[in-house]
Amino acid sequence: MDAHFLAPQPTPLSAPFWEGTRTGELRLQQCDDCGGWRWTPQILCTHCYSPHFGWEAASGRGKIYSFTTVHRPPVPTFIAPYVVAVVELDEGPLMLTRIVDVSPETVAIDMRVKVKLTPLDETITLYPFTAD
Amino acid sequence: MNGARDIAIVGIGVTAQSRGSGRSAISLLMESIGLALDDAGLSMRDVDGYIGFTFPAGNGQGMSDGNVARQFGQPMTLVAETSGAQAVLLAGAAIRAGLAEVVVIPAGGSQSPGIEMATYTRPTYEFTEWTGSMTPAQFALIARRHMHEFGTTSEQLAAVAAAAHRHGRLNPEAVAFGRPPLDADTILAARMIADPFTQPMCSLVNDGASCIVVTSAERARDCRNAPVWLLGGAFETRSNSYFEAPSLGMMESRPRMIDGFARAGVVHDDVDIVMCYDHFAHGPIIQFETLGFCAPGEGGDYVPMAMQVDGAHPGSLDGGNLAYSHNGVPYNFKPIEIVRQFRGDTPDLCPGWREGIHTYDRNLCRKVRDPRLAIGCAPMTDGRHGFAILAKD
Ligand SMILES: [Zn+2]
């Protein structure tokens, strides 16, 4: 992937997510009390308000909720056209991501996709999705 | 609220909206505050409430309660951070509660010269920026999902944009005034930005500021212009725009929005103007549906005709974000255009507009005939949406 943008800056809350992508897992927070999954990272469970959670490996699979092909990028270092998508993960949460290795014309809502972890540098591994 | 006429917009101020003004946000915002207070027949000394996303303090300390008071040189009894229709509703509630008497709501900005895209078009969040989903892409995701669920078409999006551009071409104050006319076919064929949005379906990027002054009915009596009454409204936020994945979640606010009409004792059919938030071409479609002017999924068919100046619920009458102005914080323009339509203060190509004389020839005129009741909308995003109901005195 083209990669010349501001690299994601992990926070104390999100660090385990980025540690996961670096080591081959797409992790989400899962509530210890109600079992609910959530994305993006939050202090409290968005289902039951519990502060107790673990960072668990998710399936890394889902289906496309929506997508757009970007023809004019925000900065020239993004190489258009490229596909931005919202993926409805099998665990439930919606995740903003990119769709890669698929021609934009063939991308469709409800298409099955899986994560393709892609190192950006030594610390950050990105999490675009591709056809499943 | 029950539609009580106890809170009013008494002043509006609009600076020039333009590209490359060479002016700072501070000077634009201060000018807009001065214009709005002058319009109301009030002065800085009368102000005890401030609602805005930014504060143009010379000391660079920005938007904080104490800094606003320090820079105004007098105590502030209300300082809050929102804009547009939401700010008008909040000002009304605060004034009704006795927390403030005269609230100014300034908004706007300036884009530094030389940058390719304005900062507000480039979300920098940890889980957003790497995807390359600048603002048009964020809203394209919402539009695409609406097309999938309800069969809304690109042609319908283009028709909405065409209505806004048509109005903007009649508004000498619009940033896009004087540009070639745009019909739906031209808009469809224009450069694609983020599918399904072509360039004319996306907001402008420009400089400028605006300000609204809200006060009580008592204070309004002494003001220079006739009050525009705040009858009620509703707002609801559901999620963190640009950080969370965009979705159609805001449509689930429909019951809350419809309840806002009921609480104000207002019936949809009686609304003469609906100034939707038209940041992208899908905006008015989803907003008409979510506010209850039509059923979810009917907006694509209904809105392109309804929003025209002689339509059932005209909107984007100044050209909207697509053709009039998007200065970074353009939310005030929805209530402001309503005030101007009520007053007949709508610059257009009618020779007598300055005297309030309109031809109603739609090749020249963008004035709605005798509007008395109107809706001014906040952005239709998960992070911020709602509306204020305004009535002519
Ligand atoms: Zn829980």
Side-chain angles (χ1 to χ4, degrees):
Chain A
M1 289 180 67
D2 47 304
H4 302 282
F5 46 84
L6 180 66
Q9 310 287 307
T11 65
L13 184 63
S14 69
F17 170 79
W18 294 111
E19 184 190 307
T21 58
R22 194 170 59 242
T23 56
E25 289 179 350
L26 188 77
R27 293 180 190 164
L28 301 176
Q29 287 170 294
Q30 187 175 28
C31 177
D32 288 346
D33 288 303
C34 76
W37 297 88
R38 61 186 189 261
W39 177 257
T40 61
Q42 307 291 336
I43 299 280
L44 298 182
C45 175
T46 52
H47 309 282
C48 77
Y49 314 112
S50 166
H52 307 294
F53 64 88
W55 280 98
E56 307 299 336
S59 65
R61 289 184 148 82
K63 61 180 181 180
I64 291 181
Y65 170 87
S66 193
F67 69 96
T68 178
T69 304
V70 176
H71 294 266
R72 188 179 180 231
V75 286
T77 44
F78 284 100
I79 297 172
Y82 57 87
V83 178
V84 176
V86 174
V87 170
E88 185 180 343
L89 299 171
D90 285 349
E91 289 77 11
L94 297 177
M95 179 175 268
L96 180 69
T97 186
R98 285 270 285 267
I99 304 298
V100 295
D101 301 342
V102 181
S103 126
E105 303 79 57
T106 63
V107 175
I109 287 177
D110 290 336
M111 182 177 140
R112 294 289 306 171
V113 289
K114 62 181 178 191
V115 74
K116 183 189 178 185
L117 297 173
T118 306
L120 174 68
D121 55 32
E122 317 80 68
T123 54
I124 295 293
T125 292
L126 300 173
Y127 49 97
F129 281 65
T130 188
D132 189 6
Chain B
M1 288 178 190
N2 289 321
R5 300 196 169 202
D6 57 348
I7 301 291
I9 294 176
V10 291
I12 54 170
V14 175
T15 72
Q17 309 295 314
S18 65
R19 294 179 68 98
S21 69
R23 291 180 57 183
S24 67
I26 293 178
S27 83
L28 290 165
L29 284 160
M30 290 312 296
E31 181 187 343
S32 75
I33 293 171
L35 289 168
L37 287 168
D38 191 50
D39 182 59
L42 296 168
S43 80
M44 295 286 275
R45 284 277 167 244
D46 295 305
V47 176
D48 57 7
Y50 185 101
I51 306 180
F53 285 123
T54 49
F55 181 64
N59 64 3
Q61 296 301 297
M63 185 72 199
S64 74
D65 306 24
N67 200 40
V68 173
R70 176 74 184 89
Q71 295 284 315
F72 264 75
Q74 62 206 25
M76 287 286 130
T77 58
L78 171 75
V79 176
E81 213 167 335
T82 185
S83 193
Q86 280 191 348
V88 172
L89 287 172
L90 180 61
I95 292 164
R96 198 172 284 119
L99 293 174
E101 269 196 86
V102 175
V103 179
V104 291
I105 303 168
S110 177
Q111 303 309 311
S112 17
I115 58 172
E116 172 142 349
M117 292 180 83
T119 47
Y120 60 80
T121 67
R122 284 185 55 194
T124 54
Y125 300 121
E126 181 181 2
F127 305 112
T128 304
E129 182 169 15
W130 75 266
T131 66
S133 65
M134 77 298 194
T135 301
Q138 289 269 314
F139 290 99
L141 291 165
I142 293 173
R144 166 73 64 204
R145 183 70 194 185
H146 196 271
M147 294 165 85
H148 173 78
E149 286 193 20
F150 300 110
T152 309
T153 65
S154 291
E155 287 74 14
Q156 291 167 339
L157 297 177
V160 167
H165 282 284
R166 192 155 48 244
H167 300 156
R169 294 302 183 279
L170 299 176
N171 180 3
E173 293 185 1
V175 170
F177 180 74
R179 293 187 194 170
L182 287 170
D183 60 15
D185 289 341
T186 315
I187 290 168
L188 272 179
R191 182 167 62 147
M192 189 63 79
I193 302 295
D195 185 12
F197 294 148
T198 62
Q199 181 132 38
M201 299 183 198
C202 300
S203 280
L204 294 160
V205 176
N206 57 267
D207 304 351
S210 67
C211 182
I212 297 171
V213 185
V214 180
T215 193
S216 64
E218 272 183 320
R219 291 294 295 268
R221 270 189 228 116
D222 301 327
C223 288
R224 184 168 289 158
N225 281 295
V228 168
W229 301 108
L230 172 65
L231 300 191
F235 60 81
E236 186 164 289
T237 59
R238 309 181 65 87
S239 188
N240 195 2
S241 295
Y242 300 110
F243 198 89
E244 304 300 333
S247 78
L248 289 179
M250 82 286 282
M251 292 183 73
E252 291 165 31
S253 296
R254 197 166 187 268
R256 176 74 190 165
M257 297 297 115
I258 290 172
D259 179 59
F261 287 82
R263 280 183 289 111
V266 167
V267 180
H268 287 72
D269 279 352
D270 292 341
V271 177
D272 300 312
I273 293 174
V274 181
M275 282 295 289
C276 279
Y277 199 77
D278 45 11
H279 48 355
F280 293 93
H282 74 297
I285 292 174
I286 294 183
Q287 205 147 31
F288 264 78
E289 295 173 357
T290 304
L291 263 52
F293 284 96
C294 59
E298 289 180 1
D301 271 339
Y302 182 68
V303 175
M305 288 303 291
M307 68 185 286
Q308 299 194 23
V309 64
D310 283 326
H313 300 291
S316 301
L317 292 164
D318 51 6
N321 293 18
L322 303 186
Y324 170 50
S325 170
H326 190 318
N327 57 28
V329 191
Y331 313 145
N332 280 349
F333 290 128
K334 309 314 173 192
I336 283 175
E337 175 62 15
I338 290 166
V339 173
R340 298 185 78 168
Q341 287 277 344
F342 284 170
R343 291 181 182 176
D345 168 34
T346 48
D348 56 19
L349 306 184
C350 297
W353 76 263
R354 279 174 210 282
E355 291 76 47
I357 302 165
H358 286 273
T359 61
Y360 302 99
D361 169 351
R362 297 314 179 193
N363 295 312
L364 305 173
C365 184
R366 60 184 188 85
K367 171 81 172 66
V368 175
R369 285 177 191 273
D370 192 29
R372 308 203 65 82
L373 188 64
I375 302 288
C377 294
M380 179 51 62
T381 69
D382 272 355
R384 182 174 299 121
H385 81 94
F387 64 96
I389 306 172
L390 302 175
K392 191 174 178 179
D393 189 40

